[in-house]
């Protein structure tokens, strides 16, 4: 075999066999292999997902986060998106929200939607919107969800996707993140002016709650006044 030859696995059976070993180091090695193979061999791995889930929930297991990530990938391919999101959140930083693959893009979007849902419910409860009532379960923020959304917003700013970050932040009632996106994502006054105009347009199209709409517009006006030539903003 030449130095450039690559061995392509044809089965996950060897890695699955290692999961039954008592040594945690061997189990961790198996999970690393399964993580790489999950997208291709998930039908073969799926009968073992309960065992992998158990490892992810074992606080004494050093590679619990990796087990959670493998569980999330298999559950994703099984169509169990709610449970897949739960385990992706348990994977912490191992869940790469910047990856350009179906697993990451789908769960990233699902995390954003869930975060916005909870944030809106909390805002409505705090401001006592007429007709709104929420139980504790509806108001509970899943562990790790806000951190994932913050990572998504950071990635948007780094990539120069400031308008996407602003749109998400406005819907999620995160004015701190609106301001952060403008401050760190816009390099010139012209870019900030364009982003402020986009904020204004988003408020008109996305925000039905009058009090919150007023808060966003107040922030836009405040940031607008800081610009060297604020009259450029309509």
């Amino acid at each position: 075999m030449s130095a450039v030859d690559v061995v392509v696995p044809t089965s996950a059976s060897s890695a699955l066999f290692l999961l039954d070993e008592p040594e945690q180091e061997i189990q961790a090695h198996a999970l690393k292999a399964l993580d790489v193979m999950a997208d291709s061999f998930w039908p073969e791995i799926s009968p073992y997902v309960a065992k992998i889930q158990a490892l992810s929930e074992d606080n004494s297991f050093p590679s619990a986060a990796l087990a959670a990530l493998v569980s999330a990938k298999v559950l994703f391919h099984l169509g169990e998106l709610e449970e897949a999101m739960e385990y992706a959140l348990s994977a912490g930083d191992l869940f790469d929200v910047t990856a350009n693959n179906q697993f990451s893009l789908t769960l990233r979007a699902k995390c954003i939607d869930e975060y916005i849902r909870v944030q809106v419910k909390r805002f409505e409860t705090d401001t006592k919107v007429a007709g709104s009532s929420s139980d504790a379960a509806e108001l509970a923020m899943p562990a790790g969800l806000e951190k994932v959304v913050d990572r998504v917003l950071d990635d948007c700013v780094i990539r120069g996707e400031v308008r996407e970050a602003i749109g998400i932040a406005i819907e999620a009632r995160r004015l701190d993140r609106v301001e952060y996106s403008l401050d760190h994502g816009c390099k010139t006054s012209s870019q900030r002016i364009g982003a402020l105009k986009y904020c204004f347009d988003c408020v008109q199209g996305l925000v039905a709650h009058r009090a919150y709409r007023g808060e966003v517009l107040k922030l836009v006006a405040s940031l607008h006044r800081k610009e060297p030539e604020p009259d450029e903003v309509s």
Side-chain angles (χ1 to χ4, degrees):
M1 181 181 295
S2 69
V4 296
D5 287 336
V6 177
V7 177
V8 178
T10 58
S11 171
S13 59
S14 296
L16 292 170
F17 176 78
L18 294 178
L19 285 179
D20 291 326
E21 293 294 324
E23 293 83 359
Q24 292 181 334
E25 294 82 359
I26 295 177
Q27 291 175 324
H29 176 75
L31 288 169
K32 288 178 182 178
L34 292 172
D35 179 43
V36 174
M37 296 188 288
D39 288 335
S40 299
F41 295 101
W42 63 267
E44 187 179 358
I45 301 170
S46 60
Y48 297 81
V49 72
K51 181 176 182 63
I52 300 171
Q53 287 173 299
L55 289 173
S56 77
E57 295 161 9
D58 183 353
N59 293 330
S60 68
F61 184 53
S63 298
L66 180 58
L69 181 62
V70 175
S71 297
K73 289 183 177 181
V74 176
L75 290 166
F76 166 76
H77 287 292
L78 289 171
E80 302 291 341
L81 295 187
E82 290 289 342
E83 204 171 359
M85 182 181 72
E86 176 185 338
Y87 280 93
L89 293 176
S90 296
D93 291 342
L94 293 183
F95 173 35
D96 184 3
V97 298
T98 69
N100 188 27
N101 57 54
Q102 188 179 15
F103 167 75
S104 292
L105 291 173
T106 302
L107 290 190
R108 164 180 165 149
K110 187 165 183 61
C111 285
I112 291 170
D113 288 345
E114 177 65 10
Y115 183 69
I116 290 172
R117 185 194 67 78
V118 176
Q119 285 288 93
V120 169
K121 283 288 185 183
R122 287 181 166 187
F123 185 86
E124 290 176 346
T125 300
D126 290 343
T127 54
K128 298 180 180 178
V129 173
S132 67
S133 60
S134 303
D135 58 29
E138 288 182 308
L139 298 175
M141 182 69 71
L145 182 57
E146 185 164 270
K147 184 177 180 181
V148 164
V149 173
D150 282 343
R151 285 162 52 202
V152 170
L153 295 175
D154 286 341
D155 182 57
C156 287
V157 171
I158 291 170
R159 292 173 181 265
E161 298 168 352
V162 178
R163 294 190 176 194
E164 181 179 351
I166 288 171
I168 295 169
I170 288 176
E171 285 197 83
R173 277 49 177 173
R174 289 289 303 275
L175 295 187
D176 61 318
R177 276 293 179 166
V178 173
E179 187 168 3
Y180 179 90
S181 300
L182 287 161
D183 288 344
H184 292 80
C186 298
K187 306 304 181 185
T188 66
S189 179
S190 177
Q191 288 178 348
R192 285 192 295 275
I193 288 170
L196 286 168
K197 175 69 164 59
Y198 180 74
C199 283
F200 181 83
D201 292 341
C202 277
V203 172
Q204 303 306 314
L206 296 176
V207 180
H209 190 281
R210 182 180 299 176
Y212 178 59
R213 185 165 62 243
E215 288 183 30
V216 181
L217 291 175
K218 182 178 179 180
L219 174 64
V220 170
S222 174
L223 296 174
H224 172 207
R225 287 192 294 269
K226 295 179 182 179
E227 291 304 311
E229 299 180 24
D231 289 343
E232 292 184 32
V233 182
S234 59

